Amino acid sequence: EAGVFTYDPGFTSTAACDSAITYIDGGEGVLLHRGYTIGELAEKSHYLEVCYLLLYGELPTAAQMEDFESRVTNHTMIHEQMHKFFSGFRRDAHPMAIMVAVVGAMSAFYHDSIDISDPWQREVATIRLIAKMPTIAAAAYKYTIGQPMVYPRNDLDYASNFLRMCFSVPAEEYDVNPILARAMDRIFTLHADHEQNASTSTVRLASSSGANPFACIAAGIACLWGPAHGGANQACLEMLREIGTVDRIPEYIARAKDKNDPFRLMGFGHRVYKNIDPRATVLKQSADEVLELLGVENNPTLQVAKELEKAALADPYFAEKKLFPNVDFYSGIILEAMGFPTSMFTPIFALSRTIGWISQWKEMIEDPALKIGRPRQLYTGEHQRAYTNVEDRK
Ligand code: SDX
């Protein structure tokens, strides 16, 4: 029966849901989006085309792509009043805190796309979320560094627009390097969707109550923030910096193997992949390209990362536990080389994953049979018992 599996003898539970969007074979390290491998999409496609594919199930014709790109481009600005939200935060607020709040607040601004029973309003909400996430993420970043927000431009592609909104200042225009824009776009593509991960399941569960899409995506952003999930890219880079030099790698490998030490190698391991995460393979190539372009191929963090990967993969413990580098292992190194602070790594993951969340939201809304039911539990608490008055308690 679809959707039901047994993972403990005698204990059955329903899988999160059926879905036709993304397929992962954790044992073989395979990731497909609507049947296309992530490797081919990262090499031959681009993020907005992958957005179209995830949403509608097929690669677009040239005319369909032009129309889709035009609709997204023309919705990249946020409501002028939304700018006021940012100034309500302390300057040292984490950009993820700002994104959770501002995306949730979109429900208060875009009433004309809240009736989720109306396909056209669902489409409007979808386009608005894809279009505005880079603007919101960039504005959150600018706010935390005390610089003025930069408005999007319609003559730039999606990734270039985001880079410019992050790094342009009134005093000096930021000329987007096409190789960096391509690397940025590839990072967006590699994080676009990933089956029923924690944040996507959060979005589906929130959506199953009929909550509006902006509130559901805000719930996904909140879940992604955790260091075991989307927060791992920030935690990974901070770990690599803490290791600092290649000679300290054995100490951290030993800690990761020590059951009494809660330390885990950030950027390693995965709930599903028990072989290489195919996204890490693409990102590793991208890291070399970007760092060479920026003339920082001798970046000490990258050297530590490469030696750490080598040491971990050569260690029988990690082979036995099937722990390989995941998508977060190299993404942080590229983003740092581009000039992003670690606090922006997870917001970029959230920006990228919005299409996965909203595609799976759309799939579920359009086929109620795919709704996640109300999860049940195995009760392990006290049996029914009578109330005792305080004077009788020991
Ligand atoms: C993402 O679900 C998705 O698809 C998520 C994601 C997506 O695109 O949405 O792919 C994005 O979240 C990637 C994962 C990013 N997280 C990290 O890099 C954080 C470090 N990784 C771990 O916290 C951990 O690997 C998890 C949470 C990702 C998976 O945890 P599990 O399910 O416990 O890992 P496992 O079952 O494969 O572990 C097997 C063993 C365990 O030891 P035993 O209990 O068998 O003795 O390996 C150990 C774990 O303790 N282990 C690690 C480890 N990860 C697992 N030991 C050291 N370092 C690690 N990183």
Side-chain angles (χ1 to χ4, degrees):
E1 181 190 346
V4 177
F5 65 94
T6 301
Y7 59 80
D8 273 341
F11 180 86
T12 58
S13 166
T14 54
C17 63
D18 297 344
S19 173
I21 297 174
T22 291
Y23 171 75
I24 298 173
D25 179 333
E28 297 301 317
V30 171
L31 170 55
L32 305 179
H33 289 320
R34 302 286 191 180
Y36 297 96
T37 64
I38 191 63
E40 268 214 295
L41 291 172
E43 186 197 335
K44 299 174 180 173
S45 185
H46 58 87
Y47 181 68
L48 276 190
E49 184 177 75
V50 171
C51 287
Y52 188 100
L53 173 68
L54 290 171
L55 274 172
Y56 307 116
E58 295 297 338
L59 289 170
T61 62
Q64 288 166 333
M65 189 65 236
E66 189 183 342
D67 169 63
F68 184 72
E69 188 147 20
S70 159
R71 285 190 289 142
V72 170
T73 301
N74 287 291
H75 283 91
T76 47
M77 283 176 66
I78 57 177
H79 192 293
E80 196 61 16
Q81 262 190 281
M82 287 187 82
H83 295 185
K84 293 189 173 63
F85 275 116
F86 296 87
S87 53
F89 288 91
R90 284 176 30 156
R91 283 287 180 191
D92 59 356
H94 194 293
M96 283 296 277
I98 299 174
M99 286 187 77
V100 170
V102 174
V103 172
M106 286 175 78
S107 327
F109 279 84
Y110 300 112
H111 286 290
D112 54 345
S113 59
I114 293 286
D115 173 4
I116 60 172
S117 64
D118 176 351
W120 174 244
Q121 289 191 31
R122 293 202 298 269
E123 182 76 8
V124 167
T126 298
I127 295 294
R128 281 196 162 120
L129 277 158
I130 299 168
K132 297 179 195 308
M133 285 303 268
T135 309
I136 293 168
Y141 170 53
K142 288 301 222 185
Y143 179 73
T144 57
I145 59 172
Q147 290 184 358
M149 186 194 149
V150 175
Y151 285 82
R153 270 184 19 195
N154 290 357
D155 61 330
L156 296 176
D157 63 68
Y158 197 83
S160 301
N161 222 348
F162 176 65
L163 287 171
R164 181 181 168 276
M165 287 190 281
C166 288
F167 297 130
S168 176
V169 288
E172 189 174 348
E173 186 48 67
Y174 173 80
D175 294 325
V176 183
N177 180 308
I179 295 176
L180 290 190
R182 179 77 189 120
M184 188 80 260
D185 189 273
R186 190 171 290 158
I187 284 182
F188 291 160
T189 297
L190 291 167
H191 290 80
D193 189 47
H194 210 239
E195 202 219 64
Q196 302 315 311
N197 56 83
S199 54
T200 300
S201 301
T202 300
V203 171
R204 277 185 178 255
L205 201 53
S207 310
S208 67
S209 74
N212 76 72
F214 305 109
C216 296
I217 298 302
I221 296 172
C223 175
L224 185 76
W225 196 358
H229 189 14
N233 50 20
Q234 174 173 349
C236 179
L237 199 90
E238 287 162 358
M239 173 193 73
L240 292 172
R241 279 195 190 139
E242 183 188 325
I243 295 172
T245 53
V246 171
D247 63 320
R248 295 186 67 205
I249 288 174
E251 171 197 337
Y252 283 83
I253 293 272
R255 284 190 58 196
K257 293 158 62 174
D258 177 357
K259 279 299 157 206
N260 300 317
D261 188 331
F263 171 77
R264 285 192 164 186
L265 282 184
M266 290 289 112
F268 271 78
H270 198 275
R271 293 247 189 261
V272 178
Y273 288 122
K274 299 310 171 192
N275 193 318
I276 192 72
D277 179 338
R279 301 168 296 176
T281 308
V282 178
L283 279 173
K284 184 173 177 178
Q285 292 156 7
S286 233
D288 288 335
E289 271 171 34
V290 167
L291 292 165
E292 195 181 328
L293 169 84
L294 295 173
V296 289
E297 59 273 26
N298 299 319
N299 170 319
T301 309
L302 180 65
Q303 300 318 314
V304 169
K306 289 192 169 182
E307 290 307 313
L308 174 63
E309 181 186 23
K310 225 184 276 177
L313 295 181
D315 190 303
Y317 173 87
F318 292 94
E320 179 213 325
K321 301 286 182 186
K322 300 190 184 315
L323 298 178
F324 297 91
N326 58 43
V327 67
D328 296 302
F329 189 70
Y330 280 102
S331 57
I333 292 162
I334 299 171
L335 294 173
E336 188 202 42
M338 286 179 171
F340 289 105
T342 55
S343 61
M344 275 303 288
F345 293 3
T346 311
I348 290 169
F349 192 152
L351 183 178
S352 312
R353 184 54 56 87
T354 295
I355 185 58
W357 291 330
I358 205 71
S359 299
Q360 300 223 19
W361 169 80
K362 177 176 184 288
E363 181 182 58
M364 191 183 83
I365 296 292
E366 289 174 353
D367 180 351
L370 300 182
K371 270 196 184 355
I372 293 182
R374 181 195 175 289
R376 295 310 307 274
Q377 65 172 20
L378 270 181
Y379 178 66
T380 58
E382 296 289 342
H383 289 276
Q384 184 173 330
R385 52 183 170 165
Y387 181 83
T388 44
N389 296 325
V390 65
E391 60 274 14
D392 300 329
R393 295 172 203 157
K394 297 181 182 46

